[in-house]
Short mmCIF file of all heavy atoms in Angstrom, two decimals:
data_model
loop_
_atom_site.label_atom_id
_atom_site.label_comp_id
_atom_site.label_asym_id
_atom_site.label_seq_id
_atom_site.Cartn_x
_atom_site.Cartn_y
_atom_site.Cartn_z
N THR C 6 31.97 -7.97 26.49
CA THR C 6 31.62 -6.52 26.70
C THR C 6 31.32 -6.23 28.15
O THR C 6 30.66 -7.10 28.79
CB THR C 6 30.44 -6.10 25.85
OG1 THR C 6 29.36 -6.89 26.09
CG2 THR C 6 30.74 -6.30 24.35
N PRO C 7 31.71 -5.11 28.72
CA PRO C 7 31.36 -4.79 30.11
C PRO C 7 29.93 -4.63 30.25
O PRO C 7 29.21 -4.12 29.44
CB PRO C 7 32.18 -3.52 30.36
CG PRO C 7 32.41 -2.93 28.98
CD PRO C 7 32.58 -4.03 28.02
N GLU C 8 29.42 -5.02 31.45
CA GLU C 8 28.05 -5.01 31.72
C GLU C 8 27.52 -3.50 31.98
O GLU C 8 28.18 -2.86 32.93
CB GLU C 8 27.67 -5.86 32.92
CG GLU C 8 26.14 -5.96 33.19
CD GLU C 8 25.83 -7.04 34.20
OE1 GLU C 8 25.87 -8.20 33.95
OE2 GLU C 8 25.77 -6.63 35.35
N PRO C 9 26.61 -2.95 31.24
CA PRO C 9 26.19 -1.58 31.50
C PRO C 9 25.52 -1.50 32.86
O PRO C 9 25.01 -2.47 33.39
CB PRO C 9 25.19 -1.35 30.29
CG PRO C 9 25.37 -2.43 29.30
CD PRO C 9 25.98 -3.56 30.16
N ALA C 10 25.60 -0.21 33.32
CA ALA C 10 24.93 0.05 34.65
C ALA C 10 23.36 -0.14 34.46
O ALA C 10 22.79 0.33 33.48
CB ALA C 10 25.20 1.43 35.11
N GLY C 11 22.65 -0.75 35.35
CA GLY C 11 21.29 -0.94 35.33
C GLY C 11 20.93 -2.43 34.97
O GLY C 11 19.76 -2.72 34.97
N LEU C 12 21.96 -3.19 34.56
CA LEU C 12 21.67 -4.63 34.32
C LEU C 12 21.93 -5.52 35.45
O LEU C 12 21.94 -6.73 35.33
CB LEU C 12 22.45 -5.02 33.02
CG LEU C 12 22.15 -4.33 31.71
CD1 LEU C 12 23.01 -4.90 30.60
CD2 LEU C 12 20.68 -4.52 31.41
N GLU C 13 22.27 -4.97 36.64
CA GLU C 13 22.54 -5.80 37.82
C GLU C 13 21.22 -6.43 38.26
O GLU C 13 20.13 -5.93 38.10
CB GLU C 13 23.10 -5.03 38.94
CG GLU C 13 24.42 -4.23 38.63
CD GLU C 13 24.26 -2.84 37.97
OE1 GLU C 13 23.07 -2.45 37.73
OE2 GLU C 13 25.19 -2.15 37.73
N GLY C 14 21.36 -7.61 38.76
CA GLY C 14 20.27 -8.27 39.33
C GLY C 14 19.40 -9.02 38.26
O GLY C 14 18.29 -9.46 38.48
N LEU C 15 20.03 -9.17 37.02
CA LEU C 15 19.38 -9.90 35.90
C LEU C 15 20.11 -11.27 35.76
O LEU C 15 21.23 -11.39 36.03
CB LEU C 15 19.40 -9.08 34.67
CG LEU C 15 18.58 -7.70 34.75
CD1 LEU C 15 18.79 -6.94 33.40
CD2 LEU C 15 17.15 -7.97 35.01
N PRO C 16 19.37 -12.18 35.11
CA PRO C 16 20.07 -13.45 34.83
C PRO C 16 21.24 -13.19 33.90
O PRO C 16 21.19 -12.46 32.91
CB PRO C 16 19.00 -14.26 34.14
CG PRO C 16 17.93 -13.30 33.72
CD PRO C 16 18.00 -12.12 34.63
N PRO C 17 22.32 -13.96 34.15
CA PRO C 17 23.57 -13.75 33.32
C PRO C 17 23.29 -14.13 31.81
O PRO C 17 22.45 -14.86 31.54
CB PRO C 17 24.54 -14.81 33.90
CG PRO C 17 24.08 -15.04 35.29
CD PRO C 17 22.60 -14.97 35.21
N ILE C 18 24.01 -13.45 30.95
CA ILE C 18 23.90 -13.62 29.59
C ILE C 18 24.36 -15.09 29.21
O ILE C 18 25.34 -15.57 29.72
CB ILE C 18 24.73 -12.63 28.75
CG1 ILE C 18 24.42 -12.67 27.20
CG2 ILE C 18 26.25 -12.82 29.02
CD1 ILE C 18 23.14 -12.14 26.85
N GLY C 40 13.05 -16.19 41.04
CA GLY C 40 14.08 -15.42 41.66
C GLY C 40 14.31 -14.08 41.02
O GLY C 40 15.08 -13.20 41.46
N TYR C 41 13.62 -13.85 39.94
CA TYR C 41 13.79 -12.55 39.07
C TYR C 41 12.34 -11.97 38.97
O TYR C 41 11.37 -12.60 38.60
CB TYR C 41 14.40 -12.83 37.80
CG TYR C 41 15.82 -13.35 37.83
CD1 TYR C 41 16.13 -14.67 37.75
CD2 TYR C 41 16.88 -12.48 38.06
CE1 TYR C 41 17.37 -15.18 37.82
CE2 TYR C 41 18.20 -12.99 38.24
CZ TYR C 41 18.46 -14.36 38.07
OH TYR C 41 19.72 -14.87 38.18
N LYS C 42 12.36 -10.60 39.09
CA LYS C 42 11.05 -9.89 38.81
C LYS C 42 10.93 -9.60 37.36
O LYS C 42 9.72 -9.47 36.88
CB LYS C 42 11.09 -8.57 39.66
CG LYS C 42 11.13 -8.81 41.15
CD LYS C 42 11.16 -7.42 41.83
CE LYS C 42 11.13 -7.61 43.37
NZ LYS C 42 11.06 -6.26 44.07
N LYS C 43 11.94 -9.37 36.63
CA LYS C 43 11.86 -9.04 35.22
C LYS C 43 11.54 -10.17 34.34
O LYS C 43 12.14 -11.22 34.51
CB LYS C 43 13.21 -8.38 34.80
CG LYS C 43 13.19 -7.79 33.42
CD LYS C 43 12.30 -6.56 33.28
CE LYS C 43 12.24 -6.06 31.84
NZ LYS C 43 11.27 -4.96 31.73
N GLU C 44 10.53 -10.02 33.49
CA GLU C 44 10.24 -10.94 32.46
C GLU C 44 11.03 -10.84 31.21
O GLU C 44 11.41 -9.73 30.83
CB GLU C 44 8.70 -10.91 32.23
CG GLU C 44 7.84 -11.12 33.51
CD GLU C 44 6.39 -10.69 33.20
OE1 GLU C 44 6.08 -10.30 32.09
OE2 GLU C 44 5.57 -10.74 34.11
N VAL C 74 19.19 -17.16 27.90
CA VAL C 74 19.26 -15.72 27.88
C VAL C 74 20.19 -15.36 26.68
O VAL C 74 21.40 -15.59 26.84
CB VAL C 74 19.77 -15.12 29.24
CG1 VAL C 74 19.77 -13.60 29.13
CG2 VAL C 74 18.93 -15.59 30.39
N GLY C 76 19.90 -12.10 25.18
CA GLY C 76 20.02 -10.66 25.07
C GLY C 76 19.56 -9.85 26.31
O GLY C 76 18.67 -10.23 26.96
N ARG C 77 20.40 -8.81 26.71
CA ARG C 77 20.09 -7.96 27.80
C ARG C 77 20.50 -6.58 27.42
O ARG C 77 21.69 -6.38 27.09
CB ARG C 77 20.80 -8.35 29.05
CG ARG C 77 20.59 -9.81 29.48
CD ARG C 77 21.32 -10.20 30.89
NE ARG C 77 22.63 -9.59 30.88
CZ ARG C 77 23.33 -9.39 32.04
NH1 ARG C 77 22.77 -9.76 33.17
NH2 ARG C 77 24.57 -8.98 32.09
N GLU C 78 19.58 -5.64 27.37
CA GLU C 78 19.91 -4.32 26.89
C GLU C 78 18.93 -3.26 27.54
O GLU C 78 17.91 -3.66 27.97
CB GLU C 78 19.79 -4.20 25.34
CG GLU C 78 18.36 -4.50 24.82
CD GLU C 78 18.34 -4.43 23.36
OE1 GLU C 78 19.08 -3.63 22.81
OE2 GLU C 78 17.46 -5.08 22.68
N ILE C 79 19.35 -2.09 27.56
CA ILE C 79 18.62 -0.92 28.05
C ILE C 79 18.24 -0.03 26.84
O ILE C 79 19.14 0.49 26.21
CB ILE C 79 19.34 -0.07 29.04
CG1 ILE C 79 19.77 -0.89 30.25
CG2 ILE C 79 18.53 1.10 29.58
CD1 ILE C 79 20.66 -0.24 31.34
N LYS C 83 14.49 1.52 29.49
CA LYS C 83 13.84 0.24 29.92
C LYS C 83 14.72 -0.96 29.66
O LYS C 83 15.40 -0.99 28.59
CB LYS C 83 12.53 0.03 29.11
CG LYS C 83 11.44 1.01 29.42
CD LYS C 83 10.22 0.71 28.63
CE LYS C 83 9.03 1.67 28.99
NZ LYS C 83 7.81 1.42 28.23
N VAL C 84 14.75 -1.83 30.63
CA VAL C 84 15.62 -3.02 30.46
C VAL C 84 14.83 -4.13 29.88
O VAL C 84 13.70 -4.40 30.16
CB VAL C 84 16.06 -3.54 31.87
CG1 VAL C 84 16.81 -4.85 31.74
CG2 VAL C 84 16.79 -2.48 32.62
N LYS C 85 15.44 -4.73 28.71
CA LYS C 85 14.71 -5.61 27.91
C LYS C 85 15.58 -6.96 27.96
O LYS C 85 16.77 -6.94 27.61
CB LYS C 85 14.54 -5.12 26.54
CG LYS C 85 13.51 -4.00 26.49
CD LYS C 85 13.11 -3.67 25.08
CE LYS C 85 12.04 -2.54 25.14
NZ LYS C 85 11.44 -2.26 23.74
N LEU C 86 14.90 -8.12 28.20
CA LEU C 86 15.53 -9.35 28.22
C LEU C 86 14.95 -10.19 27.03
O LEU C 86 13.80 -10.15 26.76
CB LEU C 86 15.17 -10.18 29.47
CG LEU C 86 15.81 -9.65 30.84
CD1 LEU C 86 15.28 -10.37 32.00
CD2 LEU C 86 17.34 -9.71 30.75
#
Side-chain angles (χ1 to χ4, degrees):
T6 57
E8 186 174 280
L12 295 181
E13 301 88 355
L15 296 178
I18 190 70
Y41 297 98
K42 294 181 180 180
K43 186 66 180 174
E44 301 166 0
V74 182
R77 304 186 315 164
E78 59 181 334
I79 300 176
K83 293 182 180 180
V84 178
K85 296 193 176 183
L86 291 174

